[in-house]
Amino acid sequence: MKTDPNARYAKSHEWVRLEAAHDEAVAGISDHAQSQLSDLVYVELPSVGKTFKQGETFGVVESVKAASDVYMPMAGTITAVNEALQDEPGLINQDAFAAWLIKFKPSDPAQFEALMDMAAYDTFVASEAH
């Protein structure tokens, strides 16, 4: 399982990284989540400008096995969506960190620190497997 040491992780298997001056964040689903879903065939992303609370559903990823909601790891307003995933959702299977889903302006940057770091997420995933 690949993880990103600069990202933080939610228990619902989304990752988030703060960009540049912490005024924008980028988020996607974890490598573990994409491997559990297997071949992704469809991605539904929100509209730019839409605001979500932490933990609120902002999109859907669908694989040949199942559809899964995707949740906001932090509260914020969508500033960009990864348009390439509309035509090629399988990019997430190739690299879950390069194939980000959304960029957003966090409304409470302190929420980042409350998410799991890489080591805590690795332990969380291992505990789920048992």
Side-chain angles (χ1 to χ4, degrees):
M1 173 179 79
K2 291 184 210 165
T3 49
D4 179 342
N6 299 313
R8 292 291 176 112
Y9 301 85
K11 287 185 176 176
S12 49
H13 301 288
E14 292 81 20
W15 60 265
V16 61
R17 276 190 313 256
L18 294 178
E19 301 286 290
H22 294 221
D23 61 341
E24 187 172 59
V26 60
I29 64 169
S30 71
D31 188 60
H32 173 74
Q34 72 77 22
S35 69
Q36 294 296 304
L37 288 164
S38 77
D39 298 329
L40 292 169
V41 295
Y42 176 74
V43 177
E44 182 180 305
L45 298 173
S47 304
V48 170
K50 198 156 165 47
T51 299
F52 295 92
K53 296 182 180 116
Q54 184 177 34
E56 197 173 1
T57 303
F58 74 80
V60 175
V61 290
E62 199 171 306
S63 72
V64 292
K65 290 204 277 191
S68 185
D69 287 340
V70 187
Y71 304 95
M72 284 296 282
M74 299 168 60
T77 302
I78 306 299
T79 57
V81 297
N82 191 342
E83 301 282 352
L85 300 178
Q86 300 295 326
D87 295 328
E88 290 189 75
L91 291 171
I92 298 167
N93 296 118
Q94 293 169 28
D95 187 336
F97 295 102
W100 55 274
L101 299 179
I102 58 168
K103 291 187 178 183
F104 64 97
K105 183 169 183 48
S107 52
D108 182 1
Q111 289 176 340
F112 183 78
E113 297 305 324
L115 295 168
M116 291 180 279
D117 64 15
M118 187 175 73
Y121 183 68
D122 286 343
T123 301
F124 173 72
V125 169
S127 73
E128 276 194 329
H130 298 122

